[in-house]
Amino acid sequence: MVEKADVGLERKFSFLKGGDPDTGTVLWSDGVDVVRKPLADAMNAKNVAFLLGAGCSSSWSGGQEVGIPTMAPLAKEFTKTHDLDDAAFPTAAERKDLETIYGIKLNDAEYARNLERLMELLFSMRFVLRRSSHDNVVDGRKLVESIIDKVRAFLWDKCTNGKFAHGDTTVLKLYETFYRKLVLRDRSLPRPWVFTTNYDVFNETAMDRLGLPYANGFSGVVERRFNPATFRYALAEQLDVSSKKWSAVDGFVYLCKLHGSITWTEDDHGLFPIRETAPGNVPGKVMIYPTPAKQNSSLGSPYSDLFREFQSRIVREQSVLFTMGYAFGDEHINNIIYQALTIPTFRLVIFVDPTLDGEIAKLRELDDPRIWIIGGDGRIDGRKAHYFDTIVEEFMPQRPAERIDDAVRKVLETMAPHKMDQE
């Protein structure tokens, strides 16, 4: 890998492309075409999939979080000790019992950095305690279930009550721009797939506002229930009634929410118990599971179906997987990606801090030309090359059709009759 000389304090980012000596450090002043052109080619591959992690729904503006915090700050907030008990968080008594009975400290570094690790532990404990026949585990089971309920309520609140829910459209606009650029693929190519570990509804809301049709595994109108067979369907338009010719509708997207959603609930409706509803005012029985490491949950429906779709999509011939806002902290997902790397035609494009240790360091050390790692400093202070806003605004291909989209949006905003004019 050959790096350009550092010119003073000029901002730069990394574009690591395996053993390619022409990739390395890139100066922002040299332009982004060095990344944008290869990405445009990759996005026109036969099979394209995207994996959006928690980082995509997090955004800072004016020194404040206007989206949804990532797992690290969420874990820090939930596990910290409070001077006075707060019903929304583990109480002092619950903390003491958890440590005394099970030897678990909520403020241990492992849990204070990653809320997924805590959830994995709690779900595993509940699985064992529910199956124990000993009477003396009843109190312990209630303790664990109480903390699980608080974690769920905490996550639900973060996904529904933030600045984005009170008028701030920063994150939503980024998602809209992402999908506007994504759907401009040739209609002869298979439709793109978007996989996400997020529970929020930014993806659905963005596509709804853009008028883009999508399949998310649910069917129905009044009662939308999960049926994996819908992933086999495509939306098409009839071109010639007499000859029965059909063509796929432009802009169709497949969306898979690998860890569940704040809009999913479970009831006793036979073969299709998973229902999709609008986010309510209380958490209820929302199906959000931060990690698939608790195998008992992730391998049951609908999670088994969603992970199967993820695996089957990225192992196809000439597949490209783009990961954004994902730091490879999920072992189940990582294993599926690593399996795909055994296929010669598979390519992996990772937007992440290239200096991270752990899984990112291992991927970097592979020196595999099929693995691209893009990240580092952004064009200006406070931004990073691997942040979702930079990916969408700087690196994703700029198409002439975007000017038409802007013109259409301006017509909708300007020419739409105002309520006062109608009265």
Side-chain angles (χ1 to χ4, degrees), residues 275-336:
R275 185 176 177 182
E276 183 182 38
T277 62
N281 295 322
V282 292
K285 295 175 64 177
V286 292
M287 297 188 64
I288 51 177
Y289 294 89
T291 97
K294 25 164 208 335
Q295 300 292 332
N296 186 54
S297 294
S298 66
L299 295 183
S301 182
Y303 304 100
S304 57
D305 303 298
L306 298 172
F307 274 90
R308 186 162 51 246
E309 290 295 339
F310 180 54
Q311 185 172 34
S312 68
R313 290 295 148 186
I314 67 173
V315 299
R316 301 195 174 203
E317 182 184 6
Q318 298 179 35
S319 290
V320 179
L321 175 65
F322 298 84
T323 69
M324 306 173 180
Y326 177 69
F328 283 74
D330 190 306
E331 185 178 355
H332 196 167
I333 292 177
N334 293 349
N335 287 340
I336 294 175

Side-chain angles (χ1 to χ4, degrees), residues 68-71 74-75 78 88 115-116 119 123 148-161 164 199-200 262 283 286 288-291:
I68 301 171
T70 57
M71 276 296 164
L74 286 178
F78 184 81
L115 199 56
E116 294 182 344
M119 285 295 283
F123 273 92
I148 287 177
D149 289 341
K150 290 181 179 182
V151 175
R152 278 181 167 166
F154 174 74
L155 290 173
W156 179 87
D157 180 70
K158 292 298 182 180
C159 290
T160 56
N161 295 316
F164 60 90
Y199 331 116
D200 58 65
I262 59 172
V286 292
I288 51 177
Y289 294 89
T291 97

Side-chain angles (χ1 to χ4, degrees), residues 237-302:
E237 57 182 344
Q238 192 167 357
L239 300 180
D240 189 337
V241 178
S242 61
S243 61
K244 296 183 179 180
K245 290 184 178 179
W246 302 81
S247 177
V249 170
D250 285 337
F252 191 69
V253 176
Y254 293 94
L255 174 66
C256 277
K257 305 185 78 169
L258 297 172
H259 285 177
S261 175
I262 59 172
T263 60
W264 297 4
T265 60
E266 187 174 13
D267 57 26
D268 300 321
H269 188 76
L271 294 176
F272 304 103
I274 314 303
R275 185 176 177 182
E276 183 182 38
T277 62
N281 295 322
V282 292
K285 295 175 64 177
V286 292
M287 297 188 64
I288 51 177
Y289 294 89
T291 97
K294 25 164 208 335
Q295 300 292 332
N296 186 54
S297 294
S298 66
L299 295 183
S301 182

Side-chain angles (χ1 to χ4, degrees), residues 1 29 41 69 73 101 142 162 177 183 203 221 230 240 246 251 254 264-265 295 298 309 312 330 347 384 394 413 418:
M1 182 180 71
S29 59
D41 292 337
I101 300 173
K142 290 180 179 179
T177 305
V183 299
N203 288 282
V221 177
T230 59
D240 189 337
W246 302 81
Y254 293 94
W264 297 4
T265 60
Q295 300 292 332
S298 66
E309 290 295 339
S312 68
D330 190 306
R347 283 183 287 172
K384 296 291 184 180
E394 300 277 7
E413 294 174 351
H418 296 288

Side-chain angles (χ1 to χ4, degrees), residues 62-277:
Q64 292 184 314
E65 173 69 78
V66 296
I68 301 171
T70 57
M71 276 296 164
L74 286 178
K76 183 178 180 181
E77 180 179 353
F78 184 81
T79 59
K80 71 179 181 181
T81 303
H82 296 264
D83 294 333
L84 298 175
D85 281 347
D86 186 332
F89 298 92
T91 63
E94 288 176 330
R95 287 173 174 272
K96 182 179 178 181
D97 289 345
L98 200 61
E99 182 176 353
T100 303
I101 300 173
Y102 300 111
I104 297 169
K105 298 180 180 179
L106 288 182
N107 57 357
D108 278 352
E110 181 179 9
Y111 311 126
R113 287 197 308 263
N114 193 334
L115 199 56
E116 294 182 344
R117 293 290 176 267
L118 177 61
M119 285 295 283
E120 176 184 340
L121 173 68
L122 293 173
F123 273 92
S124 299
M125 291 175 63
R126 186 177 71 173
F127 179 82
V128 173
L129 293 173
R130 279 183 171 180
R131 285 155 180 78
S132 175
S133 59
H134 291 183
D135 294 335
N136 59 358
V137 304
V138 174
D139 291 339
R141 185 172 65 243
K142 290 180 179 179
L143 168 66
V144 171
E145 290 181 342
S146 172
I147 299 177
I148 287 177
D149 289 341
K150 290 181 179 182
V151 175
R152 278 181 167 166
F154 174 74
L155 290 173
W156 179 87
D157 180 70
K158 292 298 182 180
C159 290
T160 56
N161 295 316
K163 290 192 175 295
F164 60 90
H166 298 90
D168 192 291
T169 61
T170 303
V171 177
L172 182 58
K173 292 296 184 184
L174 287 175
Y175 274 89
E176 289 182 10
T177 305
F178 168 76
Y179 280 105
R180 192 179 296 116
K181 293 183 176 183
L182 173 61
V183 299
L184 294 174
R185 277 166 56 84
D186 191 306
R187 65 162 48 188
S188 65
L189 295 171
R191 296 298 89 198
W193 285 70
V194 175
F195 299 90
T196 181
T197 58
N198 301 338
Y199 331 116
D200 58 65
V201 292
F202 283 126
N203 288 282
E204 297 94 319
T205 305
M207 286 189 280
D208 284 347
R209 294 195 176 183
L210 292 173
L212 296 178
Y214 61 93
N216 66 349
F218 288 80
S219 61
V221 177
V222 177
E223 284 195 5
R224 291 183 54 78
R225 295 188 177 274
F226 182 78
N227 182 355
T230 59
F231 286 126
R232 308 278 78 79
Y233 303 158
L235 193 64
E237 57 182 344
Q238 192 167 357
L239 300 180
D240 189 337
V241 178
S242 61
S243 61
K244 296 183 179 180
K245 290 184 178 179
W246 302 81
S247 177
V249 170
D250 285 337
F252 191 69
V253 176
Y254 293 94
L255 174 66
C256 277
K257 305 185 78 169
L258 297 172
H259 285 177
S261 175
I262 59 172
T263 60
W264 297 4
T265 60
E266 187 174 13
D267 57 26
D268 300 321
H269 188 76
L271 294 176
F272 304 103
I274 314 303
R275 185 176 177 182
E276 183 182 38
T277 62

